[in-house]
């Protein structure tokens, strides 16, 4: 295990893990190198089946580099952002980066990135690109490239996955690390970085492999309006801190507003509409099978209201609509 004293040189990779004890070993093995330190933050909750299984797997690692590894289990499931912040706190090196528990670090390229970053004396953050692996093949599609070197770049067409970010530990601690949001945590962190006027540089090689799959991801879940609102609170705040001419400000404001409308529809309305349709059809079929004496209209209405009642987050939408009718914002 790492000593309690700070290690000035080297790099710490923070890996939060939740429910993936079958995959995390490949992520850990991809990081093993004498110059790389690893902090695994287990977010399954202490003494849960997944936490016990994860700890057992990590204890089974036999390597010359296991002295570079810290394992820390959170008492309760707290979310990836809290887990990453704990990892930053536990890191003993002056530079940290991140890896998801189903992705793979390109360790040699990451060390080249570290060397490049250490030579950029006036910079606090270094970002890079990634490969995407799907069905065993690697791709570099548009979403594999980091975009957000300047505040305007980020607001116009920002793209950032958390493992793209390498940072001075002190700088992350100074801005409070990751905000506790279930979505857009990487984008929000970059917004905070630019709001804090930290200097960002770019390393032009992919430094990790994002393993894409059809399995469960937190980001696939329907998110709340508050989650989207949280991101755009930072976007509009950053917009208002940039020195722009009126026409440039209006153009960028329109871009952000249009994006907000799109993301609200895509991540809030669409998943709930899909849920509503499935529940409506399923309930209608069930009622038709057991209530032969009821009219079709009765079954349709009953199915409609049952499906409506089960849509996640509907009470908030009703409340928000009521406020709109009252003329409040």
């Amino acid at each position: 295990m790492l000593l309690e004293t700070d290690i000035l040189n080297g790099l710490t990779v923070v890996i939060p893990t939740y429910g993936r004890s079958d995959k995390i070993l490949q992520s850990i093995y991809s990081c093993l190198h004498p110059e790389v330190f690893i902090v695994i933050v287990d977010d399954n909750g202490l003494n849960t089946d997944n936490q016990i299984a994860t700890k057992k797997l990590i204890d089974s690692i036999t390597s010359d580099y296991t002295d570079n590894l810290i394992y820390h289990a959170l008492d309760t499931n707290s979310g990836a952002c809290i887990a990453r912040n704990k990892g930053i706190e536990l890191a003993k090196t002056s530079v940290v980066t991140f890896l998801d528990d189903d992705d793979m670090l390109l360790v040699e390229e990451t060390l080249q990135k570290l060397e490049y970053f250490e030579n950029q004396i006036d910079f606090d953050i270094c970002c890079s690109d990634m490969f995407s692996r799907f069905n065993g093949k690697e791709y570099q599609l548009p979403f594999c490239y980091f975009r957000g070197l300047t505040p305007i770049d980020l607001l116009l067409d920002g793209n950032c996955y958390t493992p793209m970010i390498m940072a001075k530990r002190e700088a992350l601690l100074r801005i409070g690390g990751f905000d506790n949001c279930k979505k857009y945590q990487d984008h929000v962190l970059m917004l905070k970085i630019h709001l804090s006027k930290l200097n960002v540089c770019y390393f032009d090689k992919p430094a990790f492999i994002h393993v894409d799959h059809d399995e469960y991801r937190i980001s696939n879940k329907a998110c709340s309006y508050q989650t989207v609102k949280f991101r755009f609170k930072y976007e509009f705040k950053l917009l208002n801190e940039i020195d722009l001419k009126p026409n440039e400000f209006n153009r960028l404001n329109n871009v952000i507003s249009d994006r907000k409308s799109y993301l609200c529809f895509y991540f809030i309305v669409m998943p709930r509409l899909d849920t509503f349709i499935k529940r409506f059809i399923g309930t209608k079929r069930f009622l038709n099978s057991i209530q032969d004496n009821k009219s079709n209209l009765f079954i349709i209405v009953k199915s409609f209201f049952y499906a409506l009642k089960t849509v996640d987050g509907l009470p908030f939408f009703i409340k928000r609509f009521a406020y709109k009718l009252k003329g409040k914002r």
Side-chain angles (χ1 to χ4, degrees):
M1 295 296 175
L2 291 173
L3 299 175
E4 290 301 317
T5 55
D6 281 349
I7 300 165
L8 295 179
N9 298 319
L11 171 73
T12 296
V13 181
V14 176
I15 308 177
T17 185
Y18 174 78
R20 288 206 181 103
S21 57
D22 59 329
K23 287 186 171 65
I24 191 171
L25 277 185
Q26 73 170 3
S27 297
I28 295 171
Y29 278 120
S30 74
C31 299
L32 293 180
H33 190 282
E35 296 179 40
V36 175
F37 300 88
I38 307 167
V39 175
I40 300 156
V41 183
D42 192 327
D43 192 34
N44 287 297
L46 202 58
N47 297 322
T48 60
D49 290 343
N50 275 326
Q51 186 268 320
I52 293 168
T54 301
K55 181 66 165 62
K56 186 177 179 180
L57 280 173
I58 290 169
D59 287 342
S60 72
I61 297 173
T62 55
S63 165
D64 294 337
Y65 311 135
T66 50
D67 285 343
N68 290 9
L69 188 149
I70 286 178
Y71 170 83
H72 179 86
L74 298 178
D75 290 338
T76 58
N77 172 239
S78 304
C81 295
I82 299 298
R84 289 189 183 101
N85 286 342
K86 186 63 179 180
I88 296 168
E89 178 188 323
L90 292 170
K92 303 301 178 183
T93 60
S94 58
V95 178
V96 297
T97 192
F98 306 92
L99 193 68
D100 290 346
D101 60 359
D102 57 346
D103 292 342
M104 298 175 67
L105 193 75
L106 296 171
V107 70
E108 294 299 334
E109 288 81 354
T110 296
L111 289 172
Q112 291 173 25
K113 178 180 177 181
L114 175 64
E115 182 180 4
Y116 171 81
F117 185 27
E118 288 176 336
N119 289 326
Q120 311 302 308
I121 299 172
D122 296 327
F123 290 84
D124 308 285
I125 310 293
C126 183
C127 295
S128 58
D129 304 325
M130 69 183 188
F131 290 115
S132 178
R133 179 177 293 174
F134 185 72
N135 288 339
K137 295 182 179 179
E138 290 179 9
Y139 303 87
Q140 261 201 304
L141 301 172
F143 69 86
C144 294
Y145 295 94
F146 168 75
R147 298 187 296 275
L149 198 58
T150 69
I152 293 177
D153 291 339
L154 185 64
L155 292 176
L156 271 177
D157 187 28
N159 181 63
C160 183
Y161 285 65
T162 308
M164 292 178 173
I165 301 169
M166 181 180 286
K168 291 180 180 176
R169 176 175 176 269
E170 176 274 330
L172 291 181
L173 291 173
R174 186 163 18 107
I175 66 172
F178 291 87
D179 281 24
N180 190 20
C181 47
K182 294 181 179 179
K183 206 174 189 67
Y184 312 128
Q185 70 279 351
D186 27 39
H187 189 84
V188 167
L189 181 64
M190 287 304 304
L191 288 165
K192 288 177 64 177
I193 285 166
H194 284 303
L195 279 165
S196 301
K197 295 181 170 51
L198 299 181
N199 294 321
V200 182
C201 62
Y202 172 70
F203 177 73
D204 65 353
K205 287 185 181 179
F208 75 102
I209 300 171
H210 171 72
V211 180
D212 206 356
H213 48 71
D214 296 326
E215 299 175 18
Y216 170 81
R217 285 186 183 275
I218 291 175
S219 58
N220 288 342
K221 289 183 67 178
C223 67
S224 66
Y225 174 77
Q226 290 96 326
T227 303
V228 176
K229 185 178 178 181
F230 187 76
R231 164 184 170 161
F232 287 96
K233 177 190 76 171
Y234 278 112
E235 291 215 351
F236 285 116
K237 184 177 180 181
L238 181 58
L239 172 64
N240 283 286
E241 291 199 8
I242 304 172
D243 185 18
L244 295 171
K245 294 179 181 178
N247 61 331
E248 294 173 331
F249 177 91
N250 291 334
R251 182 175 70 90
L252 197 48
N253 184 70
N254 290 336
V255 168
I256 296 170
S257 299
D258 289 346
R259 184 189 300 125
K260 182 179 179 181
S261 299
Y262 168 77
L263 291 180
C264 282
F265 180 78
Y266 187 81
F267 286 114
I268 299 175
V269 177
M270 283 299 293
R272 290 173 170 86
L273 181 60
D274 182 61
T275 299
F276 170 80
I277 292 171
K278 288 177 180 176
R279 298 268 172 85
F280 173 75
I281 293 173
T283 304
K284 185 169 176 287
R285 286 175 178 169
F286 174 73
L287 292 178
N288 274 324
S289 69
I290 64 169
Q291 297 185 353
D292 292 334
N293 59 331
K294 297 292 184 181
S295 70
N296 192 45
L297 179 61
F298 172 83
I299 289 174
I300 289 173
V301 171
K302 191 170 183 178
S303 300
F304 176 85
F305 281 105
Y306 175 78
L308 198 64
K309 185 173 67 174
T310 61
V311 173
D312 179 42
L314 184 65
F316 174 77
F317 280 101
I318 293 173
K319 184 177 180 181
R320 184 171 177 77
F321 183 68
Y323 271 79
K324 288 279 189 181
L325 290 178
K326 294 176 184 177
K328 297 182 181 180
R329 291 186 179 275

